[in-house]
Amino acid sequence: MHVTLVHVHVKPDHIDDFITATRLNHLASVQESGNRRFDVLQVPDNPSQFILYEVYATAEDAAAHKQTEHYLAWRDTVADWMAQPRQGVPYKALFPEA
């Protein structure tokens, strides 16, 4: 499994816009054959901070995600709404075992 936690800090005046755009990305991403999970999490005490929890079967599937039309549209749409550059942190999944 290829897991990435993407940490996102959105400008406060674009929180609702970000949620709308990210929902579209989520709905399309979970349809990808290599996708195993694509969760969008919001920090309760700081609603401008999000984590995208992305799980793909392989690194190639994760790379293919970044070439999809829905990802590219999301990336370009939300770019100016970021309070700081988003940060993707890769993880090795231990459990459940693949």
Side-chain angles (χ1 to χ4, degrees):
M1 292 292 171
H2 184 83
V3 179
T4 304
L5 296 183
V6 182
H7 299 262
V8 180
H9 188 183
V10 177
K11 295 173 184 173
D13 55 333
H14 287 290
I15 291 172
D16 291 338
D17 300 328
F18 177 81
I19 291 171
T20 298
T22 303
R23 182 176 188 273
L24 295 174
N25 187 33
H26 157 79
L27 291 172
S29 296
V30 297
Q31 300 301 315
E32 296 173 34
S33 63
N35 181 267
R36 298 297 177 260
R37 194 158 190 106
F38 196 103
D39 294 353
V40 180
L41 311 172
Q42 184 179 33
V43 176
D45 296 339
N46 187 348
S48 66
Q49 292 190 347
F50 298 84
I51 293 176
L52 308 182
Y53 176 71
E54 303 177 6
V55 181
Y56 284 87
T58 66
E60 291 77 19
D61 292 327
H65 164 69
K66 292 187 175 184
Q67 302 303 315
T68 62
E69 188 174 313
H70 57 269
Y71 169 77
L72 295 172
W74 174 84
R75 182 196 65 187
D76 293 345
T77 298
V78 304
D80 290 339
W81 301 342
M82 301 288 172
Q84 60 192 52
R86 65 184 183 280
Q87 181 182 20
V89 180
Y91 287 86
K92 178 181 177 183
L94 299 178
F95 306 105
E97 296 178 22

